[in-house]
Amino acid sequence: MSYLRRWFATNVDAALADEALRAAVGSAAGQKILVSTAAKAAVTDFDSLRDVTARIKQHTLDHLDHYLGQFIETVQACGGVVHQAATAAEANEIIVRIARENGLSLCAKVKSMATEETGLTHALEAAGVRVLETDLGEFIVQLDHDRPSHIVTPIIHKNRRMVAAAFARELGVEYTEDPQALTMHARRYLRDVFRRCDLGVSGANFAVAETGTLCICTNEGNGRLTTTRPRVHVALVGIEKLVPRPADLAVFLKVLARSSTGQPITVYTSLITGPRRPADPDGPEQLHVVLLDAGRRAIHAGEYREVLRCIRCGACLNACPVFRRIGGHAYDNVYPGPIGSLLAPLMNNFERYADLPQASSLCGLCRDVCPVKIDIPDVLVRLRRDQVKRSVVPWSRRVGFRLMSRMLSSTWTYRMGQGLLRLVTWPWADGRWLRHLPGPGARLTRHRDVPRPAPRSFRELWKRGEVE
Ligand code: SF4
């Protein structure tokens, strides 16, 4: 059974053994949380804003077909073409077809999680279209033949030395660790791409049903160049990205950047409604919007609809003590961290990703920072329940938990269990800690010390009058 495949455990072991990775991710995520907390504190009653965003998103999802229909009509009325893709492969086929029909050969691409999901870059390159990532982080990932490890900060796992080495090796520039010099190298390289590209591919942070507007947030201006310079602009947009009205953006833009990067607003917020009109000074001749399902409809139809409220801010990743120690690659999924632990089993393969909902201490930090108030720990617990129902959990674990439940439900068995635990762990006790348990307990102590069961329980101490 796939649950027993140890890919996640192997990935976690490798990540925990990688000091550079842990240092880079821990420090960057910690810094993000600090600036984000300060940015949110500067807004009066940020929590109420989260209530509003959660309500708008939930309302949109509860009336998804209505808003999808409205969005399709308004995009078409503005001169755009709408395509609907049921699967990732279908989305890629549509975009490759658009490229072929228009004889396009050089694609500038804005960072987009939907395109990561479908593996669009590989599909376009296989069809002979050269694709260049234009977000600096994604550009570095591409340059270094790597994978993104965070929804918002794709190179959170890299340090300056790694980036400098990739630039020197791949671009043939002089080795430097100076961020500004490295950025200038990337800028020069990408300017030429922007001048020559004939296809621009983006996602959308939000899609406004009432006006058919795509809202794209970037910090480097690459979004604007990608969506205005080429002849053809294709936006791959998950169907959950809809919001009803332009006015709704006001509240979403206020929470997105603050939750994500700790900025009051992203530096460039582009609103794109239709292709270039005759009087426009720039813009693409064609605008194609590809609406992506790829598992979203199935989530929408079930009890986990609230997960689709996610606006991909990445805050839950930064806050998560598990993500901060193992980084994003360990999850082996486009969406890592707490939101990835929900989306991977729900959208992709419930069995293959069965370990992910277990990879949480349920501390609740992800729920506290989520700008659309997704109750991530609650969904994780429900997914664990589903794993038991669908027999994804191995029988040994199910029997173990059943025994534990019996033991905890009677005072007598509970006390006996306490005594037994003290006895069986005694040979491995080192002071107050268990450092190296054998057999099935070995995984528990491989990367951390576990407190030894107390020699006497609180109840015993209380009885003896040793506590007040
Ligand atoms: S689940 Fe919430 S916190 Fe996590 S990425 Fe989505 S919106 Fe952000």
Side-chain angles (χ1 to χ4, degrees), residues 360-402:
S360 169
S361 63
L362 305 178
C363 67
L365 281 172
C366 48
R367 176 188 50 217
D368 297 346
V369 297
C370 178
V372 283
K373 289 203 166 179
I374 300 174
D375 193 343
I376 297 173
D378 179 63
V379 180
L380 287 170
V381 170
R382 285 188 277 148
L383 284 173
R384 291 179 189 183
R385 176 208 61 197
D386 292 353
Q387 289 178 353
V388 175
K389 277 191 190 161
R390 292 168 63 170
S391 299
V392 176
V393 178
W395 69 266
S396 53
R397 192 171 292 207
R398 270 179 286 156
V399 171
F401 276 110
R402 219 162 270 160

Side-chain angles (χ1 to χ4, degrees), residues 52-208:
V52 176
T53 50
R55 275 207 301 273
I56 296 172
K57 269 282 176 185
Q58 194 60 44
H59 164 84
T60 316
L61 290 167
D62 291 344
H63 301 85
L64 185 62
D65 285 326
H66 166 75
Y67 287 115
L68 267 176
Q70 189 181 19
F71 179 72
I72 292 168
E73 269 175 32
T74 49
V75 171
Q76 287 170 341
C78 297
V81 182
V82 181
H83 311 258
Q84 301 202 52
T87 63
E90 209 175 305
N92 289 348
E93 275 165 32
I94 292 168
I95 299 171
V96 166
R97 195 173 62 236
I98 294 168
R100 281 205 176 117
E101 283 172 1
N102 289 282
L104 310 173
S105 59
L106 180 59
C107 168
K109 185 170 160 289
V110 191
K111 176 173 163 33
S112 140
M113 293 312 297
T115 59
E116 290 294 333
E117 248 183 76
T118 65
L120 178 63
T121 298
H122 297 296
L124 281 171
E125 297 220 315
V129 180
R130 184 160 178 240
V131 181
L132 265 302
E133 295 286 350
T134 61
D135 167 88
L136 182 58
E138 292 284 350
F139 175 73
I140 293 166
V141 165
Q142 190 179 32
L143 202 63
D144 210 12
H145 312 287
D146 199 354
R147 285 177 298 148
S149 68
H150 188 286
I151 294 175
V152 175
T153 328
I155 54 164
I156 196 168
H157 58 290
K158 287 190 188 297
N159 58 34
R160 242 184 247 187
R161 284 182 300 285
M162 296 171 185
V163 176
F167 271 69
R169 189 184 67 239
E170 300 292 330
L171 296 184
V173 298
E174 198 179 322
Y175 181 93
T176 172
E177 292 176 16
D178 175 26
Q180 200 169 344
L182 290 167
T183 308
M184 290 314 289
H185 287 313
R187 188 176 193 271
R188 267 191 294 276
Y189 189 89
L190 288 172
R191 281 286 142 169
D192 181 52
V193 174
F194 286 128
R195 264 192 290 270
R196 294 186 297 112
C197 63
D198 42 23
L199 170 63
V201 168
S202 74
N205 292 85
F206 305 100
V208 185

Side-chain angles (χ1 to χ4, degrees), residues 34-46 258:
L34 280 180
V35 292
S36 170
T37 306
K40 290 189 276 194
V43 176
T44 313
D45 205 359
F46 191 81
R258 284 182 168 86

Side-chain angles (χ1 to χ4, degrees), residues 310-316 339 370-372 374 376:
C310 176
I311 56 171
R312 313 286 194 259
C313 73
C316 57
I339 185 62
C370 178
V372 283
I374 300 174
I376 297 173

